Amino acid sequence: MTTSTPTLQEKARRLRTLHDESRILVLVNAWDAASARAVAALPGCHAIATASHSIAAAHGYEDGEHIPVELALAAIARIAAAVDLPVTADLEGGYGDVAATVRAAIRAGAVGGNLEDAIRPIDQAVRAVRAAVAAGRDEGVPFVLNARTDAYLTGPPETALAASVERGTAYLSAGADCVFVPGCSDPRDIRKLVAAFGPGRLSLLGVPALPTPAELETLGVARVSYGPYPQRWTLDALTSRAAPLLAAAPDRRASDARPRP
């Protein structure tokens, strides 16, 4: 018996439901088809998130929209084609045209996405959120927008909470589904953000200092993702395996130094 592949609309509705449920959504970020399939096969995986940093690194680029948008979207398309789960894509700041990028991401198979504000003026950031939401509507897909604010990463620590609340509530009012606040790890601040945004609306980055997913769930956090860390874990495993193999190899320098007959 065969099962039909879910449509983009069905995947988008499923992704939205995963945010509305009382259980936290844990996203282990992928950067290619192989990593997406490996994560998707694990028990407890309900959706796949891409990581812009990891996709850029896999193509030899620095993060921060240095990778050509066509390459980034092609990677998202390969990931979406490799799994039947909903895919939410890291779209950085929109690559210069938020609406066009969201439309292209949807056509590539993504049903949700992150959009960074880079602490640009709040009116500009709100317009970008509205453009992303409208692009999803125009494509006929209830695109799940995770609006990111970098107040904890780039702003003064003493104003990070207030700035995140101001920006996050504005993004939710503009149509975002949740607010991504990377850099926030203090449970006291997390509680205040949940109170300001409402349950099922706060998204966090899984840095080492962050409470466990189970603890975040009790605090009312909607989702936690791990950004570039899964790729770093993978590369650490690769180098730890490769290093002793290369160390045990014969020293070619001595043989290369011998004169040729």
Side-chain angles (χ1 to χ4, degrees):
M1 179 178 177
T2 59
T3 57
S4 60
T5 302
T7 66
L8 285 179
Q9 290 78 9
E10 290 168 339
K11 288 180 179 180
R13 287 192 289 269
R14 177 55 183 154
L15 183 59
R16 177 162 281 117
T17 299
L18 289 169
H19 291 77
D20 292 338
E21 294 174 351
S22 60
R23 303 297 299 272
I24 190 170
L25 174 60
V26 178
L27 296 165
V28 178
N29 300 70
W31 59 94
D32 60 12
S35 58
R37 284 176 175 154
V39 173
L42 294 173
C45 181
H46 301 289
I48 294 292
T50 74
S52 66
H53 185 287
S54 301
I55 287 176
H59 288 80
Y61 292 91
E62 296 293 326
D63 194 22
E65 299 192 3
H66 292 289
I67 184 174
V69 64
E70 296 81 8
L71 274 182
L73 290 166
I76 292 167
R78 286 193 292 271
I79 289 169
V83 298
D84 286 334
L85 296 175
V87 171
T88 176
D90 185 348
L91 302 177
E92 301 205 52
Y95 294 90
D97 189 332
V98 171
T101 299
V102 169
R103 287 195 297 269
I106 291 171
R107 293 168 190 172
V111 295
N114 290 4
L115 183 65
E116 301 175 12
D117 66 0
I119 309 300
R120 63 175 62 89
I122 193 167
D123 59 329
Q124 295 180 20
V126 167
R127 284 199 297 271
V129 168
R130 287 178 177 151
V133 173
R137 185 170 58 246
D138 292 344
E139 290 295 313
V141 173
F143 192 76
V144 180
L145 184 64
N146 189 33
R148 168 175 160 170
T149 179
D150 288 343
Y152 275 86
L153 298 179
T154 62
E158 62 272 14
T159 64
L161 176 62
S164 297
V165 168
E166 179 187 15
R167 287 175 171 271
T169 52
Y171 302 159
L172 292 171
S173 296
D177 295 279
C178 50
V179 180
F180 185 27
V181 189
C184 179
S185 59
D186 188 322
R188 293 168 297 183
D189 283 7
I190 292 171
R191 288 191 185 93
K192 292 174 181 177
L193 289 171
V194 170
F197 299 157
R201 294 294 174 263
L202 176 61
S203 172
L204 295 173
L205 178 65
V207 296
L210 195 71
T212 66
E215 292 168 332
L216 293 175
E217 184 175 287
T218 65
L219 294 172
V221 175
R223 70 192 247 181
V224 58
S225 56
Y226 291 85
Y229 296 112
Q231 187 187 57
R232 292 178 185 174
W233 303 333
T234 302
L235 294 177
D236 285 345
L238 172 62
T239 54
S240 67
R241 293 273 186 165
L245 299 176
L246 294 170
D251 188 350
R252 296 181 60 87
R253 289 174 298 179
S255 61
D256 290 345
R258 289 199 297 268
R260 300 288 181 183

